Amino acid sequence: MLGSPPEGPDPMKLGVYVNAQHPAGDDPARRFTETLEQARLIRALGFDSIWGGEHHVTPGFHYFPLLPLLQRLAAETEGMAMGTNLVLLPLHNPVEIAEIGAFLDVITGGRFLLGVGLGYRPEEFAVFGVPMAERVSRLTEGIEIIRRLWTEEAVTHKGRHWQLEGIGIRPRPLQQPRPPILVGSQVAAGIARAARIADGWLVVPVPTVDEFAAQAAAFGAARAAAGLAASPHICRLLEVSCAADEDAAIRRAAPYLLEKYAAYFSWGIPGISLEPGAPPEAQLRRLATNRFAVGSPAQVVEALLRQHRAGVTHATMRVSWPGMPQKEVLAGIERLGHEVLPEVRRRTAAGRA
Protein backbone atom coordinates (compact mmCIF):
# COMPACT_ATOMS: atom_id res chain seq x y z
CA MET A 1 0.00 0.00 0.00
CA LEU A 2 1.28 3.43 -0.90
CA GLY A 3 -0.81 5.31 1.65
CA SER A 4 -3.04 8.32 1.30
CA PRO A 5 -2.25 11.74 -0.17
CA PRO A 6 -0.92 14.28 2.31
CA GLU A 7 -3.70 15.94 4.28
CA GLY A 8 -4.78 19.49 3.52
CA PRO A 9 -6.33 21.47 0.68
CA ASP A 10 -3.17 22.25 -1.24
CA PRO A 11 -2.47 20.32 -4.45
CA MET A 12 0.93 18.76 -5.00
CA LYS A 13 3.37 21.41 -6.13
CA LEU A 14 5.18 20.88 -9.42
CA GLY A 15 8.57 22.44 -10.05
CA VAL A 16 11.27 22.06 -12.68
CA TYR A 17 14.88 21.22 -11.97
CA VAL A 18 17.09 22.96 -14.52
CA ASN A 19 20.04 21.02 -15.89
CA ALA A 20 23.36 22.73 -15.18
CA GLN A 21 25.57 19.86 -16.38
CA HIS A 22 26.65 19.94 -20.01
CA PRO A 23 29.19 18.06 -22.13
CA ALA A 24 32.61 19.68 -21.95
CA GLY A 25 32.54 20.36 -25.71
CA ASP A 26 29.31 22.39 -25.56
CA ASP A 27 29.43 26.18 -25.74
CA PRO A 28 28.69 27.32 -22.17
CA ALA A 29 27.40 30.72 -23.31
CA ARG A 30 24.86 29.04 -25.60
CA ARG A 31 23.79 26.59 -22.92
CA PHE A 32 23.38 29.43 -20.40
CA THR A 33 21.23 31.39 -22.86
CA GLU A 34 19.13 28.26 -23.37
CA THR A 35 18.72 27.91 -19.58
CA LEU A 36 17.35 31.45 -19.40
CA GLU A 37 14.88 30.63 -22.20
CA GLN A 38 13.77 27.53 -20.30
CA ALA A 39 13.29 29.52 -17.10
CA ARG A 40 11.09 32.10 -18.87
CA LEU A 41 8.93 29.34 -20.31
CA ILE A 42 8.65 27.56 -16.95
CA ARG A 43 7.39 30.78 -15.38
CA ALA A 44 5.02 31.57 -18.24
CA LEU A 45 3.39 28.14 -17.96
CA GLY A 46 2.69 28.59 -14.25
CA PHE A 47 4.90 25.97 -12.59
CA ASP A 48 5.34 26.38 -8.86
CA SER A 49 9.11 26.38 -8.54
CA ILE A 50 12.51 26.16 -10.13
CA TRP A 51 15.48 24.27 -8.69
CA GLY A 52 19.15 23.59 -9.29
CA GLY A 53 21.89 21.37 -7.92
CA GLU A 54 25.57 21.53 -7.07
CA HIS A 55 28.61 19.54 -8.16
CA HIS A 56 32.28 20.34 -8.72
CA VAL A 57 35.20 18.85 -10.69
CA THR A 58 33.09 16.80 -13.10
CA PRO A 59 35.38 15.27 -15.76
CA GLY A 60 33.86 15.33 -19.23
CA PHE A 61 31.33 18.01 -18.29
CA HIS A 62 31.07 21.61 -17.24
CA TYR A 63 28.68 22.37 -14.41
CA PHE A 64 27.23 25.85 -13.80
CA PRO A 65 27.83 26.99 -10.18
CA LEU A 66 24.55 26.61 -8.29
CA LEU A 67 24.11 29.77 -6.26
CA PRO A 68 25.22 32.28 -8.93
CA LEU A 69 22.98 30.48 -11.42
CA LEU A 70 19.93 30.75 -9.16
CA GLN A 71 20.60 34.42 -8.50
CA ARG A 72 20.50 35.07 -12.24
CA LEU A 73 17.44 32.86 -12.82
CA ALA A 74 15.53 34.73 -10.13
CA ALA A 75 15.34 37.68 -12.52
CA GLU A 76 13.45 35.46 -15.00
CA THR A 77 11.14 33.68 -12.55
CA GLU A 78 9.36 36.38 -10.56
CA GLY A 79 6.60 34.95 -8.38
CA MET A 80 8.01 31.42 -8.34
CA ALA A 81 9.55 29.53 -5.46
CA MET A 82 13.23 28.75 -5.86
CA GLY A 83 15.10 25.87 -4.23
CA THR A 84 18.49 24.25 -3.98
CA ASN A 85 18.52 20.50 -4.54
CA LEU A 86 21.01 20.60 -3.12
CA VAL A 87 23.85 22.64 -1.56
CA LEU A 88 26.72 20.38 -0.44
CA LEU A 89 26.78 22.06 2.95
CA PRO A 90 29.89 20.36 4.42
CA LEU A 91 31.95 22.04 1.68
CA HIS A 92 30.82 25.55 2.64
CA ASN A 93 31.06 28.06 5.45
CA PRO A 94 27.52 28.23 6.87
CA VAL A 95 27.74 31.98 7.43
CA GLU A 96 28.19 32.50 3.69
CA ILE A 97 25.30 30.13 2.89
CA ALA A 98 23.11 31.97 5.41
CA GLU A 99 23.92 35.30 3.76
CA ILE A 100 23.35 34.07 0.21
CA GLY A 101 20.20 32.19 1.23
CA ALA A 102 18.79 35.29 2.90
CA PHE A 103 19.50 37.32 -0.23
CA LEU A 104 17.83 34.69 -2.42
CA ASP A 105 14.80 34.89 -0.15
CA VAL A 106 14.73 38.67 -0.60
CA ILE A 107 15.01 38.61 -4.39
CA THR A 108 12.39 35.84 -4.73
CA GLY A 109 9.90 37.73 -2.58
CA GLY A 110 10.15 35.27 0.31
CA ARG A 111 9.95 32.06 -1.74
CA PHE A 112 13.37 30.46 -1.18
CA LEU A 113 13.86 26.88 0.05
CA LEU A 114 17.32 25.83 1.19
CA GLY A 115 18.02 22.18 0.43
CA VAL A 116 21.30 20.80 1.75
CA GLY A 117 23.03 17.43 1.84
CA LEU A 118 26.19 15.59 2.77
CA GLY A 119 27.76 14.93 -0.63
CA TYR A 120 29.30 11.61 -1.60
CA ARG A 121 32.15 12.28 -4.07
CA PRO A 122 35.66 12.14 -2.57
CA GLU A 123 36.97 14.40 -5.37
CA GLU A 124 34.78 17.27 -4.19
CA PHE A 125 35.89 16.99 -0.58
CA ALA A 126 39.52 16.80 -1.67
CA VAL A 127 39.44 20.01 -3.72
CA PHE A 128 37.71 21.89 -0.89
CA GLY A 129 40.13 20.49 1.70
CA VAL A 130 37.34 19.03 3.85
CA PRO A 131 37.71 15.52 5.34
CA MET A 132 34.80 13.30 4.31
CA ALA A 133 34.79 11.87 7.83
CA GLU A 134 33.55 15.26 9.05
CA ARG A 135 30.64 15.60 6.66
CA VAL A 136 27.86 14.62 9.10
CA SER A 137 29.11 16.90 11.89
CA ARG A 138 29.64 19.77 9.44
CA LEU A 139 26.12 19.32 8.07
CA THR A 140 24.40 19.30 11.45
CA GLU A 141 26.47 22.16 12.86
CA GLY A 142 26.05 24.16 9.67
CA ILE A 143 22.26 23.82 9.78
CA GLU A 144 22.20 25.01 13.38
CA ILE A 145 24.28 28.09 12.50
CA ILE A 146 22.16 28.98 9.46
CA ARG A 147 18.92 28.60 11.41
CA ARG A 148 20.19 30.86 14.18
CA LEU A 149 21.63 33.49 11.83
CA TRP A 150 18.27 33.70 10.06
CA THR A 151 16.32 34.22 13.30
CA GLU A 152 18.63 35.85 15.87
CA GLU A 153 20.16 39.31 16.07
CA ALA A 154 23.56 38.14 17.32
CA VAL A 155 24.79 34.56 17.34
CA THR A 156 27.48 33.19 19.62
CA HIS A 157 28.44 29.65 18.70
CA LYS A 158 31.22 27.43 20.03
CA GLY A 159 31.26 24.31 17.90
CA ARG A 160 33.57 21.67 16.56
CA HIS A 161 34.09 23.38 13.22
CA TRP A 162 33.05 27.03 13.64
CA GLN A 163 33.42 29.66 16.34
CA LEU A 164 31.19 32.75 16.23
CA GLU A 165 31.03 35.63 18.70
CA GLY A 166 28.03 37.94 18.49
CA ILE A 167 27.61 37.55 14.72
CA GLY A 168 24.52 38.78 12.87
CA ILE A 169 23.72 38.97 9.16
CA ARG A 170 21.91 41.55 7.05
CA PRO A 171 19.69 41.38 5.16
CA ARG A 172 17.69 38.75 6.97
CA PRO A 173 15.23 36.57 5.03
CA LEU A 174 11.73 37.83 4.28
CA GLN A 175 10.03 34.59 5.33
CA GLN A 176 9.02 34.38 8.96
CA PRO A 177 10.48 32.93 10.97
CA ARG A 178 12.83 31.86 8.14
CA PRO A 179 13.00 29.87 4.88
CA PRO A 180 12.50 26.11 5.17
CA ILE A 181 15.66 24.04 5.50
CA LEU A 182 15.42 20.68 3.73
CA VAL A 183 17.91 17.83 4.02
CA GLY A 184 18.52 15.24 1.34
CA SER A 185 19.25 11.62 2.17
CA GLN A 186 18.37 8.15 0.94
CA VAL A 187 19.76 5.92 3.72
CA ALA A 188 17.86 5.09 6.91
CA ALA A 189 20.14 6.94 9.34
CA GLY A 190 20.22 10.03 7.14
CA ILE A 191 16.44 10.07 6.67
CA ALA A 192 15.95 9.88 10.45
CA ARG A 193 18.50 12.68 10.90
CA ALA A 194 16.71 14.84 8.33
CA ALA A 195 13.42 14.28 10.15
CA ARG A 196 14.91 15.54 13.41
CA ILE A 197 17.04 18.51 12.32
CA ALA A 198 15.29 19.86 9.22
CA ASP A 199 11.93 21.21 8.10
CA GLY A 200 11.65 18.80 5.19
CA TRP A 201 13.28 16.09 3.14
CA LEU A 202 14.78 15.95 -0.35
CA VAL A 203 14.59 12.62 -2.17
CA VAL A 204 16.61 11.45 -5.16
CA PRO A 205 14.99 9.74 -8.20
CA VAL A 206 16.63 6.35 -7.56
CA PRO A 207 14.17 4.60 -5.18
CA THR A 208 11.11 2.97 -6.72
CA VAL A 209 7.74 4.36 -5.71
CA ASP A 210 7.30 1.53 -3.19
CA GLU A 211 10.77 2.02 -1.73
CA PHE A 212 10.11 5.73 -1.43
CA ALA A 213 6.76 5.12 0.29
CA ALA A 214 8.50 3.07 2.97
CA GLN A 215 11.15 5.77 3.38
CA ALA A 216 8.46 8.48 3.64
CA ALA A 217 6.71 6.50 6.36
CA ALA A 218 10.00 6.20 8.26
CA PHE A 219 10.60 9.94 7.87
CA GLY A 220 7.15 10.70 9.26
CA ALA A 221 7.61 8.27 12.16
CA ALA A 222 10.95 9.84 13.06
CA ARG A 223 9.40 13.30 13.15
CA ALA A 224 6.55 12.07 15.32
CA ALA A 225 9.01 10.38 17.69
CA ALA A 226 10.86 13.71 17.99
CA GLY A 227 7.62 15.52 18.81
CA LEU A 228 7.57 17.36 15.48
CA ALA A 229 4.61 17.98 13.20
CA ALA A 230 4.33 16.28 9.82
CA SER A 231 6.40 18.10 7.23
CA PRO A 232 4.75 19.87 4.29
CA HIS A 233 8.06 19.69 2.41
CA ILE A 234 8.59 16.20 0.99
CA CYS A 235 10.36 17.25 -2.19
CA ARG A 236 11.32 14.56 -4.67
CA LEU A 237 13.55 14.98 -7.70
CA LEU A 238 11.95 13.01 -10.54
CA GLU A 239 13.08 12.15 -14.04
CA VAL A 240 10.23 13.23 -16.33
CA SER A 241 9.92 12.87 -20.10
CA CYS A 242 6.57 13.72 -21.66
CA ALA A 243 5.76 13.37 -25.35
CA ALA A 244 2.83 12.41 -27.56
CA ASP A 245 3.23 8.74 -26.62
CA GLU A 246 5.49 6.51 -24.54
CA ASP A 247 7.76 5.49 -27.40
CA ALA A 248 8.38 9.12 -28.32
CA ALA A 249 9.08 10.03 -24.69
CA ILE A 250 11.58 7.17 -24.38
CA ARG A 251 13.31 8.10 -27.65
CA ARG A 252 13.55 11.76 -26.63
CA ALA A 253 15.11 11.14 -23.22
CA ALA A 254 17.08 7.90 -23.46
CA PRO A 255 20.42 9.03 -24.96
CA TYR A 256 20.72 12.00 -22.60
CA LEU A 257 19.24 10.58 -19.40
CA LEU A 258 21.47 7.52 -19.71
CA GLU A 259 24.49 9.80 -20.08
CA LYS A 260 23.54 11.41 -16.77
CA TYR A 261 23.14 8.05 -15.08
CA ALA A 262 26.46 6.85 -16.46
CA ALA A 263 28.01 9.85 -14.69
CA TYR A 264 26.14 8.97 -11.50
CA PHE A 265 27.41 5.41 -11.78
CA SER A 266 31.00 6.59 -12.21
CA TRP A 267 30.60 8.90 -9.21
CA GLY A 268 29.55 5.99 -7.03
CA ILE A 269 25.98 6.97 -6.19
CA PRO A 270 24.22 3.92 -4.69
CA GLY A 271 21.16 2.20 -6.11
CA ILE A 272 22.05 2.50 -9.80
CA SER A 273 23.02 -0.25 -12.19
CA LEU A 274 23.50 -0.05 -15.94
CA GLU A 275 23.75 -2.81 -18.53
CA PRO A 276 26.82 -2.34 -20.73
CA GLY A 277 25.94 -2.76 -24.40
CA ALA A 278 22.17 -2.70 -23.87
CA PRO A 279 20.27 -0.23 -26.12
CA PRO A 280 19.61 3.08 -24.34
CA GLU A 281 15.86 2.84 -24.90
CA ALA A 282 15.70 -0.60 -23.30
CA GLN A 283 17.79 0.59 -20.37
CA LEU A 284 15.53 3.60 -19.80
CA ARG A 285 12.40 1.44 -19.88
CA ARG A 286 13.94 -0.74 -17.18
CA LEU A 287 15.05 2.20 -15.04
CA ALA A 288 11.76 4.07 -15.43
CA THR A 289 9.47 1.24 -14.32
CA ASN A 290 7.76 2.21 -11.04
CA ARG A 291 10.32 4.99 -10.63
CA PHE A 292 10.23 7.80 -13.24
CA ALA A 293 7.42 9.61 -15.07
CA VAL A 294 7.96 8.80 -18.76
CA GLY A 295 5.29 8.61 -21.42
CA SER A 296 2.23 10.37 -22.78
CA PRO A 297 0.63 13.19 -20.78
CA ALA A 298 -1.89 10.74 -19.30
CA GLN A 299 0.90 8.34 -18.30
CA VAL A 300 2.95 11.15 -16.74
CA VAL A 301 -0.08 12.38 -14.80
CA GLU A 302 -0.68 8.91 -13.39
CA ALA A 303 2.99 8.51 -12.50
CA LEU A 304 3.01 11.83 -10.65
CA LEU A 305 -0.17 10.91 -8.81
CA ARG A 306 1.47 7.66 -7.66
CA GLN A 307 4.31 9.72 -6.25
CA HIS A 308 1.80 11.92 -4.45
CA ARG A 309 0.04 8.93 -2.92
CA ALA A 310 3.44 7.72 -1.72
CA GLY A 311 4.01 11.01 0.11
CA VAL A 312 5.49 13.56 -2.28
CA THR A 313 4.20 17.08 -1.62
CA HIS A 314 6.49 18.88 -4.10
CA ALA A 315 7.75 17.16 -7.25
CA THR A 316 10.92 18.61 -8.75
CA MET A 317 10.84 17.43 -12.34
CA ARG A 318 14.10 17.06 -14.22
CA VAL A 319 13.14 17.35 -17.88
CA SER A 320 16.56 17.69 -19.52
CA TRP A 321 19.93 15.98 -19.27
CA PRO A 322 23.47 16.58 -20.57
CA GLY A 323 23.59 17.12 -24.31
CA MET A 324 19.84 17.34 -24.94
CA PRO A 325 18.91 19.74 -27.76
CA GLN A 326 17.07 22.86 -26.69
CA LYS A 327 14.08 22.23 -28.97
CA GLU A 328 13.48 18.90 -27.24
CA VAL A 329 13.75 20.47 -23.79
CA LEU A 330 11.28 23.22 -24.63
CA ALA A 331 8.85 20.77 -26.25
CA GLY A 332 8.79 18.66 -23.10
CA ILE A 333 8.25 21.67 -20.84
CA GLU A 334 5.44 22.94 -23.08
CA ARG A 335 3.58 19.63 -22.99
CA LEU A 336 3.96 19.33 -19.22
CA GLY A 337 2.71 22.86 -18.70
CA HIS A 338 -0.33 22.52 -20.93
CA GLU A 339 -1.38 18.90 -20.46
CA VAL A 340 0.05 17.64 -17.15
CA LEU A 341 0.29 20.53 -14.69
CA PRO A 342 -3.43 21.50 -14.72
CA GLU A 343 -4.61 17.89 -14.39
CA VAL A 344 -2.27 17.05 -11.51
CA ARG A 345 -3.33 20.19 -9.68
CA ARG A 346 -7.00 19.46 -10.23
CA ARG A 347 -6.83 15.88 -9.09
CA THR A 348 -4.59 16.40 -6.07
CA ALA A 349 -6.61 19.41 -4.91
CA ALA A 350 -9.78 17.37 -5.20
CA GLY A 351 -8.28 14.49 -3.22
CA ARG A 352 -8.48 12.18 -6.23
CA ALA A 353 -4.77 11.39 -6.49
Side-chain angles (χ1 to χ4, degrees), residues 46-343:
F47 289 95
D48 293 295
S49 59
I50 194 161
W51 301 71
E54 177 180 28
H55 275 298
H56 305 273
V57 289
T58 54
F61 301 95
H62 55 73
Y63 209 112
F64 294 148
L66 171 60
L67 297 172
L69 176 63
L70 292 185
Q71 290 168 32
R72 177 62 182 87
L73 293 183
E76 312 294 338
T77 56
E78 184 178 358
M80 297 181 66
M82 176 168 282
T84 58
N85 191 354
L86 42 68
V87 169
L88 302 172
L89 188 55
L91 304 182
H92 297 278
N93 186 311
V95 177
E96 180 185 23
I97 298 302
E99 290 179 338
I100 296 173
F103 179 64
L104 281 165
D105 200 53
V106 169
I107 64 177
T108 59
R111 298 177 179 88
F112 177 61
L113 302 95
L114 176 64
V116 300
L118 290 173
Y120 59 89
R121 297 180 64 226
E123 300 93 328
E124 292 174 320
F125 285 83
V127 298
F128 279 83
V130 174
M132 280 194 74
E134 297 179 357
R135 60 182 184 157
V136 172
S137 58
R138 285 177 175 269
L139 177 83
T140 55
E141 189 175 337
I143 288 172
E144 178 187 354
I145 290 170
I146 293 167
R147 180 183 288 115
R148 292 186 63 194
L149 287 171
W150 280 351
T151 57
E152 299 178 23
E153 288 291 329
V155 173
T156 296
H157 173 87
K158 307 295 182 184
R160 175 181 173 185
H161 304 291
W162 292 281
Q163 312 292 316
L164 306 177
E165 188 69 43
I167 298 299
I169 66 166
R170 289 290 186 277
R172 298 262 283 277
L174 296 185
Q175 291 182 74
Q176 295 297 321
R178 55 176 173 76
I181 299 174
L182 319 176
V183 169
S185 185
Q186 60 176 318
V187 299
I191 293 168
R193 183 188 310 115
R196 294 191 303 269
I197 70 174
D199 305 304
W201 175 39
L202 298 173
V203 192
V204 297
V206 175
T208 66
V209 177
D210 303 285
E211 290 167 344
F212 163 70
Q215 293 175 338
F219 178 83
R223 284 188 69 84
L228 299 170
S231 173
H233 304 293
I234 310 298
C235 305
R236 183 165 193 193
L237 176 60
L238 290 170
E239 312 292 2
V240 178
S241 178
C242 187
D245 54 57
E246 183 177 2
D247 288 344
I250 291 283
R251 285 195 303 271
R252 171 181 288 166
Y256 312 107
L257 190 151
L258 267 294
E259 182 79 4
K260 176 66 176 175
Y261 275 71
Y264 276 154
F265 186 72
S266 70
W267 295 348
I269 193 170
I272 294 172
S273 63
L274 299 176
E275 300 176 10
E281 294 178 17
Q283 293 211 52
L284 179 53
R285 288 183 190 278
R286 179 180 62 84
L287 276 174
T289 300
N290 200 33
R291 182 180 281 120
F292 303 158
V294 177
S296 67
Q299 289 174 306
V300 170
V301 166
E302 292 302 324
L304 291 171
L305 295 179
R306 285 195 297 273
Q307 298 286 345
H308 184 60
R309 287 194 294 271
V312 174
T313 67
H314 197 146
T316 307
M317 301 182 293
R318 179 158 53 192
V319 299
S320 63
W321 305 272
M324 194 171 193
Q326 176 75 339
K327 66 177 182 178
E328 300 287 356
V329 179
L330 297 178
I333 294 171
E334 284 271 9
R335 196 174 289 272
L336 285 169
H338 290 298
E339 302 182 53
V340 172
L341 177 63
E343 182 67 5

